[in-house]
Amino acid sequence: MTTLELSLGARSYPIVIGEGIVESQLRERLEAYRQAHRPIAVVTSPALFGLYRGLFKSLDEIASVIYVTSVDGEGAKSTAELVNLWETLAQAHIDRSGVLLAIGGGVVGDLGGFAAATFLRGIDFVQVPTTLLAMVDSSVGGKTAVNLAEGKNLVGAFYQPKAVIADLDFLKTLPAGEFAAGMGEVVKYGLLGDARLFETLEETNADSLAPIVRRCCEIKAAIVAADERETAGDGGRALLNLGHTFGHAIEKVAGYGSYLHGEAVAVGLMGAARLSEQLGFVPDKSVSPRVEALLAKYKLPSRLRKALPVEALAAAMASDKKVSAGTLKFVLLRSLGNAFTTRDVPAETVKNIWRELGACD
Ligand code: NAD
Ligand code: GLY
């Protein structure tokens, strides 16, 4: 087991990573809450609730309520689900001393985190990520949100958990496609901040996952500690969006659900690498072939699976929530492991990159 800290002064918290740790970690924390007469609520997804009956049975003995989302996956990040969750917390008499445990992937973490941020103007919450993507990305850093029909993550809050408990044993039941999608985010960390991590992914089969998850969390924790609310003019937390501007456009134009988030990000990483080369920022021409090979190794796409219209993709990019004052911030590379942000990217070059990624006119 290994622990690192996300340092945010009084709001600092531990990120505990290990195998087979969830029961003991929760027992310790929940016992402390119980002794302090703090009511506990749990939120999870139907898939998790079905797979981990033993865990939820033991939680049922301590928690005031276990809320299972009405649907699995992205659809659970809805305002309707949020209202149901708020009402369930109220009916279970969760008071201001209450603690919400979010046990699941990024969907449960984002929904549960936003419910915790808003219920009674904020109750404590603990993230127990169960997908690779949630372990290396969404459970760390305090971004919480639900979706609107108008777009993903449009309503949310920066609200840090009190702890993150990442038990790698959960990954044994994770479907292969979801694991691959998480690897998309892992590759992202190598590309944006750690060439050595990228090389490790090239040289090994990521069999030794704990140090890899830890490294990703370290990179994210350092970035978030320095720029919690993504307000830095250059670089900062926006670096974590490497590949995401392309990726979000793919998810929107292909229709949500056609690509897993991490798959769309993978194509986006390729787009960002190619764009960086085309604009002359990356002199080393081996970067994009290496990105392509690494994505393929971890069963991730580096091109669109089916052609999508360039104009629709460009329009979706222009409406990304990262647009401010009418311009879009791009995250580009200078080399493997070294990313930066810029707004100075010609629209025509971006369209050419979309064509390279398999988009059509
Ligand atoms: P997810 O939460 O939908 O989980 C994927 C599927 O796997 C679900 O059906 C879930 O029930 C199932 N599942 C989860 N853990 C499992 C396990 N251990 N065994 C078997 N099945 C399991 O998807 P995700 O990829 O974890 O998260 C995607 C969400 O995360 C998106 O909504 C995205 O916007 C959000 N996100 C948030 C941040 C952030 O910083 N807050 C960062 C990245 C992504
Ligand atoms: N996943 C991007 C961020 O947390 O800022």
Side-chain angles (χ1 to χ4, degrees):
M1 191 176 84
T2 172
T3 303
L4 61 131
E5 187 184 70
L6 201 158
S7 301
L8 285 168
R11 290 175 296 109
S12 300
Y13 54 92
I15 301 164
V16 188
I17 300 160
E19 286 160 41
I21 60 168
V22 71
E23 305 244 5
S24 59
Q25 281 291 315
L26 286 181
R27 195 177 316 117
E28 210 174 286
R29 279 160 213 279
L30 298 187
E31 196 43 47
Y33 294 139
R34 193 158 65 166
Q35 283 186 10
H37 305 288
R38 299 180 65 178
I40 296 153
V42 179
V43 54
T44 193
S45 74
L48 264 300
F49 192 68
L51 282 165
Y52 294 92
R53 285 180 193 280
L55 172 66
F56 289 105
K57 197 161 177 290
S58 60
L59 287 172
D60 199 32
E61 286 162 18
I62 320 172
S64 301
V65 62
I66 296 181
Y67 180 89
V68 182
T69 56
S70 59
V71 290
D72 223 319
E74 199 61 36
K77 266 174 66 173
S78 68
T79 49
E81 193 78 52
L82 177 67
V83 171
N84 276 339
L85 177 50
W86 280 332
E87 289 176 352
T88 305
L89 297 175
Q91 285 152 16
H93 306 293
I94 302 298
D95 63 22
R96 280 205 170 146
S97 70
V99 183
L100 181 66
L101 295 188
I103 304 180
V107 162
V108 166
D110 280 14
L111 170 76
F114 188 53
T118 45
F119 186 70
L120 302 178
R121 301 195 179 90
I123 60 171
D124 286 353
F125 87 114
V126 172
Q127 289 268 23
V128 183
T130 62
T131 64
L132 181 57
L133 181 140
M135 290 179 192
V136 298
D137 193 356
S138 62
S139 66
V140 174
K143 276 191 182 176
T144 70
V146 294
N147 303 327
L148 297 182
E150 286 74 10
K152 270 186 63 159
N153 298 330
L154 289 188
V155 182
F158 288 99
Y159 194 67
Q160 302 293 342
K162 290 293 168 195
V164 178
I165 300 164
D167 187 337
L168 301 180
D169 275 1
F170 278 116
L171 302 180
K172 290 178 182 162
T173 56
L174 192 67
E178 297 287 353
F179 184 86
M183 285 306 295
E185 298 285 353
V186 173
V187 172
K188 175 192 83 174
Y189 284 107
L191 263 180
L192 76 86
D194 187 349
R196 186 68 210 115
L197 171 61
F198 192 93
E199 286 159 10
T200 302
L201 297 172
E202 287 181 317
E203 290 159 10
T204 70
N205 288 321
D207 308 313
S208 199
L209 208 50
I212 290 174
V213 170
R214 183 184 164 102
R215 186 65 195 122
C216 295
C217 290
E218 276 171 358
I219 296 171
K220 180 154 187 181
I223 288 175
V224 171
D227 182 25
E228 184 184 9
R229 291 182 168 243
E230 210 170 315
T231 49
D234 295 312
R237 188 162 184 164
L239 294 175
L240 296 169
N241 298 325
L242 180 64
H244 283 60
T245 306
F246 283 97
H248 287 154
I250 294 168
E251 286 181 277
K252 189 165 183 182
V253 175
Y256 290 109
S258 307
Y259 285 76
L260 294 176
H261 176 71
E263 292 176 331
V265 167
V267 181
L269 293 176
M270 191 63 199
R274 292 291 301 128
L275 184 57
S276 308
E277 284 173 358
Q278 284 249 333
L279 295 172
F281 293 117
V282 179
D284 176 359
K285 294 289 173 265
S286 74
V287 169
S288 63
R290 282 176 72 184
V291 173
E292 187 171 8
L294 192 62
L295 294 174
K297 176 175 175 179
Y298 291 103
K299 305 195 174 9
L300 285 162
S302 50
R303 282 173 62 82
L304 297 173
R305 285 200 281 255
K306 215 170 86 184
L308 297 169
V310 169
E311 291 304 329
L313 290 161
M317 259 184 161
S319 70
D320 194 278
K321 72 178 184 314
K322 304 295 183 294
V323 171
S324 80
T327 58
L328 185 56
K329 197 185 259 188
F330 280 87
V331 188
L332 297 179
L333 299 173
R334 288 209 169 84
S335 62
L336 271 184
N338 182 356
F340 69 104
T341 57
T342 179
R343 294 187 183 277
D344 192 15
V345 175
E348 235 1 89
T349 315
V350 178
K351 287 185 185 175
N352 283 335
I353 298 297
W354 277 122
R355 291 182 188 102
E356 286 184 19
L357 295 176
C360 57
D361 285 294

